[in-house]
Amino acid sequence: MAEMVRKSSVDEILNHWILAGSCILLMITGYAFLFHVEGISAVFGGVNTMKSVHNWGGVVFTLSLLYSMRHYLVDALEYDADDAQWFKVAGGYLSHKVTVPPMGKYNPGQKLYYLAVVGAGIAIAASGFAIWLLKENTTLMLISHLVHNVAFCIFILAAPVHIYLGTLANPGTFKLMVSGTLPLEEAKRRYPKWMKAAGKM
């Protein structure tokens, strides 16, 4: 049996799915609020119940987003010459003829995507709490609704991209975010710099 290496810890996997689940729930309920979709609100038992689900789902999302920083933030802020070269060849997604430089645990596309999620996530959470808890401030309400809706649009665009890249575009990635492990030889091929740093090369 092939030797396996762990890329994602159990708590990282669990938090990933909590973050994903709460995000999807918030996008569905947020869409219903934005476009007044009565069919969706009926599924939740009415607008008021859906509002409670949305608000407390936002609490779960915020806590999960903050917790994710212990897993990804440090790596997401570190870039080197190989990362710059990765951008030049678009990670090999546009052509299989280019040479993709060796990568560490995460490629720069994943790093920037995570930073975008953190930025949009903080914006949508802060504005959401303001809308929920500070209704008496009219100016703040107007600004918060604008920020909330812009951040919502970012997530609506980003989520399908993340799902595609985590499934069809990169076979094996979805399985990795379920088990947290992958074969050593595959890890050496896909993440040589990480494996070298871990003493596996």
Side-chain angles (χ1 to χ4, degrees), residues 82-168:
D82 286 328
D83 290 325
Q85 182 59 29
W86 186 94
F87 283 118
K88 290 180 181 179
V89 300
Y93 287 111
L94 302 181
S95 174
H96 294 299
K97 297 179 181 180
V98 299
T99 300
V100 179
M103 288 288 102
K105 196 172 186 181
Y106 306 105
N107 67 51
Q110 292 170 316
K111 296 175 186 179
L112 284 183
Y113 182 91
Y114 177 71
L115 293 177
V117 167
V118 169
I122 291 174
I124 205 168
S127 58
F129 284 121
I131 293 168
W132 180 15
L133 303 172
L134 302 173
K135 296 182 178 67
E136 69 282 355
N137 190 321
T138 305
T139 301
L140 182 60
M141 282 299 95
L142 290 173
I143 295 173
S144 295
H145 275 289
L146 175 61
V147 171
H148 208 67
N149 290 341
V150 170
F152 172 75
C153 290
I154 292 173
F155 275 101
I156 285 292
L157 294 173
V161 173
H162 181 67
I163 293 171
Y164 169 72
L165 292 176
T167 53
L168 298 177

Side-chain angles (χ1 to χ4, degrees), residues 8-23 64 67-68 71-72 162 173-174 177-178:
S8 301
S9 62
V10 174
D11 69 306
E12 178 184 349
I13 296 169
L14 179 61
N15 190 63
H16 171 269
W17 291 112
I18 291 174
L19 186 63
S22 60
C23 184
S64 181
Y67 188 77
S68 74
H71 296 122
Y72 308 120
H162 181 67
T173 303
F174 180 81
M177 283 314 299
V178 173

Side-chain angles (χ1 to χ4, degrees), residues 6-67:
R6 178 163 290 280
K7 186 170 186 280
S8 301
S9 62
V10 174
D11 69 306
E12 178 184 349
I13 296 169
L14 179 61
N15 190 63
H16 171 269
W17 291 112
I18 291 174
L19 186 63
S22 60
C23 184
I24 292 171
L25 175 65
L26 291 169
M27 286 194 293
I28 292 172
T29 53
Y31 180 86
F33 283 127
L34 189 60
F35 297 103
H36 307 287
V37 183
E38 294 181 2
I40 295 177
S41 61
V43 172
F44 290 91
V47 174
N48 290 333
T49 302
M50 185 171 71
K51 185 178 292 185
S52 294
V53 170
H54 188 83
N55 290 342
W56 288 105
V59 173
V60 173
F61 171 83
T62 303
L63 293 175
S64 181
L65 180 68
L66 294 174
Y67 188 77

